[in-house]
Amino acid sequence: MLKKYFGITLLGAMIALSGCETMPTQTSASQISAINQANLVQRTWTATQLGNSMLKTEANRQNLPYLNFDAATQTVTGSDSCNRLSGSYVAGRDTLQLGQLATTRMACLNNNNLDQKFHEALNKVTHYQVYGKTLKLLDRHGNLLIQFETPTAVR
């Protein structure tokens, strides 16, 4: 009789312990948001594509648009290929709102209106995606507006 109780107890314990497997944890929306925002900031993002057009620069000129996002001050700074720019931003899980951008007003010669096209694209940004060294700024329909690259990998 003791063997029977021992066997039943052992079987019950095995069943109970097998139900205590560690379940993989799901990443919460707030954790995803924090990860995405952390990947966005403290890097220099250099534009490589504007809409469907790849951006190239002459060998002797470094005049591609770029952006820097600062989480501490919630400011974005950079260049439109000719003028310096700065303003505020608010980033969510995959949303990005750029505030009114202040720019310098230098004469931009021989840049095929890249500065104007860059600003037009920035005005349409509502979402973003960060994958490794690539940042994509998207419109409300998910269309690519501007693609950036950075030499700094995700830590």
Side-chain angles (χ1 to χ4, degrees), residues 17-104:
L17 290 176
S18 68
C20 294
E21 286 185 37
T22 304
M23 296 297 288
T25 58
Q26 290 184 339
T27 307
S28 72
S30 62
Q31 289 171 321
I32 292 171
S33 181
I35 291 167
N36 286 347
Q37 290 175 39
N39 292 336
L40 180 67
V41 300
Q42 313 309 350
R43 302 191 216 186
T44 299
W45 295 103
T46 303
T48 57
Q49 186 174 341
L50 185 59
N52 294 327
S53 302
M54 297 302 292
L55 298 178
K56 296 178 184 168
T57 187
E58 297 172 19
N60 62 346
R61 293 172 59 197
Q62 297 296 320
N63 62 343
L64 290 176
Y66 69 89
L67 295 176
N68 294 304
F69 293 88
D70 185 335
T73 60
Q74 292 288 286
T75 57
V76 59
T77 57
S79 169
D80 62 12
S81 77
C82 176
N83 291 294
R84 302 265 313 138
L85 59 88
S86 67
S88 63
Y89 78 93
V90 177
R93 176 179 178 174
D94 64 348
T95 59
L96 181 64
Q97 293 178 327
L98 298 174
Q100 183 69 33
L101 297 175
T103 64
T104 57

Side-chain angles (χ1 to χ4, degrees), residues 102-119:
T103 64
T104 57
R105 292 288 182 195
M106 297 174 23
C108 303
L109 304 174
N110 301 323
N111 74 348
N112 295 323
N113 295 323
L114 178 58
D115 57 326
Q116 292 174 358
K117 294 174 188 173
F118 187 70
H119 282 281

